[in-house]
Amino acid sequence: MSHPFTLSNGVTIPSPGFGTYLMPEEPATVDAIVQALRLGYRHIDTAYFYGNETCVGEAIRASGLPREEIFVTSKVWNTDRGYQPTLAAFEKTMTHLGLDYLDLYLIHWPAYADKYDNWEDINRETWRAMTELYQSGRVRAIGVSNFKPHHLKALLEGPVKPMVDQIELNPGWQQRETVAFCAQHDILIEAWSPLGRGRVLGHPLLAELGRKYSKTPAQICLRWCLDKGYLPLPKSVTPSRIRENLNIFDFALTPEDIARLDALPPFGESGRDPDNVPF
Ligand code: A2P
């Protein structure tokens, strides 16, 4: 009931991951994550910014599963960019999670040119801290989120290359340039909002393919991610959907159907441009 990927450093990463954005710090979030772990998810994606890292740690302990069976990702927030602030932010995250190592640590958003003259240096300094955390063994893998090729280029000069780029990706928002760049550099693409936060699910092609494969439009989106080599991170607090989003391993899309989805024009983006985010 899983479709693991292997990162460029050999670390295995279970798929799909369970996204937790917009899940507040409350008992219902712990319940949803425990439910996800019971159903078979082995990869939980959180971030300092989500404010729910303590719930993730609590759910992992409540699940009774051995720590090493669960892959945990968190991210350094924009106000903690730079070398020292990133190291300090990591310690806060580990305290919240109550864990002694992290599986994957990501830079949440790039510093960008419209906001900072020295945006490349800021990203390089943040990355220097990430590299140190990786080399010291506190984190098993490191990467970025919402980085486009021009943001990534500055990081590729360092001794450790990003292993993951987690970007907004679904059949209605395919980010082809970033995907191609990451393929060239052996960077795994993780898809946040693989369902376009519901926006793309009403598209007629997804309905048609859903009927053909006896699956829901959400399952078609998630299977398309797997078949393309992207690791999807669906988010849900609804038990039936948490289950539904895992039930994607008993079918595969034909190359013709993948090509039809690949050819869709953009229609599912959130509008959050990494070169102009409001935070
Ligand atoms: P909910 O959490 O209330 O179940 P994304 O992962 O693309 O960001 O999308 C998350 C949104 O899509 C949430 O609002 C979630 O609602 C909803 N969602 C999650 N899974 C499904 C599904 N299988 N079918 C329809 N909507 C879903």
Side-chain angles (χ1 to χ4, degrees):
M1 214 196 339
S2 171
H3 182 109
F5 290 85
T6 304
L7 299 177
S8 59
N9 66 344
V11 165
T12 303
I13 174 165
S15 167
F18 186 68
T20 63
Y21 181 46
L22 296 179
M23 291 168 62
E25 190 174 31
E26 62 182 25
T29 292
V30 178
D31 292 347
I33 300 169
V34 169
Q35 169 86 348
L37 290 168
R38 288 213 175 110
L39 289 170
Y41 289 83
R42 288 294 179 271
H43 173 173
I44 310 294
D45 183 89
T46 183
Y48 179 78
F49 181 69
Y50 300 172
N52 60 19
E53 289 173 319
T54 53
C55 298
V56 172
E58 220 179 291
I60 290 171
R61 286 182 288 281
S63 75
L65 289 165
R67 163 69 183 96
E68 61 277 10
E69 274 190 28
I70 306 170
F71 192 98
V72 186
T73 300
S74 194
K75 314 182 188 87
V76 58
W77 185 238
N78 303 349
T79 46
D80 292 319
R81 291 181 182 122
Y83 177 74
Q84 280 300 346
T86 296
L87 294 179
F90 178 77
E91 298 307 331
K92 276 188 288 184
T93 279
M94 296 311 284
T95 303
H96 288 166
L97 288 166
L99 301 177
D100 56 8
Y101 71 91
L102 192 63
D103 294 282
L104 178 64
Y105 200 37
L106 305 178
I107 304 179
H108 206 143
W109 291 89
Y112 57 93
D114 274 7
K115 196 158 180 180
Y116 304 98
D117 290 341
N118 60 340
W119 61 280
E120 284 180 297
D121 289 335
I122 296 173
N123 290 333
R124 272 195 208 98
E125 281 298 280
T126 308
W127 189 247
R128 189 159 70 87
M130 307 286 283
T131 300
E132 198 170 293
L133 291 166
Y134 174 65
Q135 289 176 329
S136 71
R138 304 286 309 278
V139 192
R140 295 174 68 222
I142 49 175
V144 296
S145 183
N146 302 301
F147 274 51
K148 294 185 183 176
H150 57 280
H151 306 120
L152 276 163
K153 273 178 193 146
L155 306 191
L156 295 175
E157 298 156 7
V160 180
K161 317 270 179 275
M163 293 145 201
V164 166
D165 192 1
Q166 183 183 122
I167 59 174
E168 181 181 5
L169 192 78
N170 58 64
W173 188 239
Q174 299 195 22
Q175 304 227 42
R176 295 181 178 87
E177 204 189 321
T178 303
V179 164
F181 185 89
C182 286
Q184 260 171 28
H185 294 279
D186 204 8
I187 299 171
L188 175 72
I189 293 283
E190 291 186 344
W192 65 258
S193 263
L195 314 175
R197 211 144 288 152
R199 280 184 307 276
V200 303
L201 300 180
H203 192 280
L205 179 56
L206 292 172
E208 180 195 323
L209 295 178
R211 284 191 297 276
K212 174 173 170 182
Y213 292 95
S214 301
K215 291 287 171 183
T216 64
Q219 289 168 325
I220 300 293
C221 286
L222 298 172
R223 188 66 226 187
W224 174 81
C225 278
L226 296 183
D227 289 341
K228 295 291 289 178
Y230 315 142
L231 191 159
L233 300 167
K235 172 255 160 190
S236 178
V237 292
T238 314
S240 60
R241 289 171 168 173
I242 294 174
R243 188 180 291 110
E244 175 184 326
N245 295 344
L246 208 53
N247 185 11
I248 52 174
F249 298 109
D250 56 354
F251 79 115
L253 299 167
T254 64
E256 295 73 29
D257 289 334
I258 293 172
R260 291 178 73 195
L261 289 165
D262 288 353
L264 287 173
F267 68 97
E269 73 271 33
S270 66
R272 286 210 167 152
D273 177 0
D275 281 310
N276 190 21
V277 276
F279 33 72

